C-alpha cells in the first residue's frame, strides 16, 4: 500500500462524484447518446433527378438511403417523386408524393441480410412546393417553400401530421466544373411543438456533364433533443427529354 491510502481513496471518490455530477448536469441525452447513434458519423446516399419532358413540365425523381453509421446500420429509406410546373426559369411549382420507411432504433439493428426487417415506422406523404431562384453576381440563391401532409403508421397505429419547411440554398461556382453548395433548412410542425428540426449543410460539387453533377458534403441535423452528423453523397441527373417527346426547348 502507498504512504497515503486515505488521500488516494479520497481522490478516487472525488473523481467518481465529479464524473456522476457531470453526467447528471449534462442531462439524459448524454447518457443515451450512444443508444440513439448520436455519437456516430452516419451517411446519406442520394439521387435527385429533374426530367424535363415539355416546355413547362418536368418529373422529379429522388431516392435516399440513410444510415446511422457511414457504411452500415440502416436508418431510413426515402423515395420521392413529383410533377413540376415551370412558371419561368426562376420559379417552379411542384405537387408530389413520398414514401418513407424508417428504423428509429440504433441499438439491436436488424441483420445486414434483412435491412428493413425491424422497421417500426412507414409514412406516405403528399407535398406541395414552390421554388424561387435568383442570382447576385456569381452567387446563386434558391428559396424552397414546402408543405407536407404526413400519414404515418407507427407500430400499427395511424397518425396524420402537417409540417412546413423553408430552405435557403447558396451555390458559388468556383470554375466551370467545381462549385460550393451550402444551405440551411428549418422544419416547423403545424400542430404540437412548433420546432421539428434544422438542417445545416455544406458540400463540394463537381459538374460531370451539362445535365449531371455530384456533391460530397456534411450535414448537421439538429432536433429538439438530439444532433446528428451525416456525410452526404449525392448524384444529380437532370436530362432534357423534350427532343424525345417532340417538344423543342425554347432558345
Amino acid at each position: 500500500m502507498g504512504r497515503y491510502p486515505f488521500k488516494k481513496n479520497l481522490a478516487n471518490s472525488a473523481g467518481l462524484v465529479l464524473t456522476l455530477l457531470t453526467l447528471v448536469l449534462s442531462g439524459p441525452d448524454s447518457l443515451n447518446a450512444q443508444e440513439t447513434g448520436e455519437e456516430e458519423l452516419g451517411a446519406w446516399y442520394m439521387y435527385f433527378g429533374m426530367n424535363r419532358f415539355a416546355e413547362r413540365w418536368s418529373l422529379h425523381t429522388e431516392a435516399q438511403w440513410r444510415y446511422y453509421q457511414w457504411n452500415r446500420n440502416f436508418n431510413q429509406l426515402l423515395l420521392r417523386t413529383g410533377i413540376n410546373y415551370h412558371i419561368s426559369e426562376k420559379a417552379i411549382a411542384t405537387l408530389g408524393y413520398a414514401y418513407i420507411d424508417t428504423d428509429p432504433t440504433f441499438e439491436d439493428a436488424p441483420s445486414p441480410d434483412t435491412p428493413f426487417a425491424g422497421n417500426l415506422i412507414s409514412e406516405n406523404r403528399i407535398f406541395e412546393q414552390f421554388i424561387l431562384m435568383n442570382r447576385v453576381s456569381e452567387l446563386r440563391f434558391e428559396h424552397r417553400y414546402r408543405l407536407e401532409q404526413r400519414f404515418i403508421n407507427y407500430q400499427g397505429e395511424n397518425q396524420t401530421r402537417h409540417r412546413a419547411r423553408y430552405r435557403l440554398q447558396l451555390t458559388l461556382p468556383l470554375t466551370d466544373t467545381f462549385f460550393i453548395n451550402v444551405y440551411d433548412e428549418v422544419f416547423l410542425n403545424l400542430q404540437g411543438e412548433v420546432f421539428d428540426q434544422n438542417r445545416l449543410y455544406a458540400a463540394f460539387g463537381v459538374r460531370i456533364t451539362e445535365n449531371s453533377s455530384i456533391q460530397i458534403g456534411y450535414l448537421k441535423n439538429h432536433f429538439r433533443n438530439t444532433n446528428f452528423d451525416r456525410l452526404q453523397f449525392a448524384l444529380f441527373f437532370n436530362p432534357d427529354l423534350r427532343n424525345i417527346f417532340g417538344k423543342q426547348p425554347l432558345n
Side-chain angles (χ1 to χ4, degrees), residues 15-16 19 36 66-67 74 83 103 105 142 168 195 199 222 231 240:
L16 179 60
T19 300
T36 63
R66 300 173 176 178
Y67 293 85
F74 170 80
I83 189 74
D103 179 359
T105 59
E142 180 183 288
L168 174 61
F195 178 78
R199 295 178 182 174
H222 171 64
L231 298 175
D240 193 333

Side-chain angles (χ1 to χ4, degrees), residues 40-45 65-74 112 231 233:
E40 295 289 342
L41 179 61
W44 294 3
Y45 301 93
W65 296 266
R66 300 173 176 178
Y67 293 85
Y68 284 109
Q69 294 160 291
W70 75 270
N71 62 343
R72 64 187 179 92
N73 201 341
F74 170 80
L231 298 175
F233 303 89

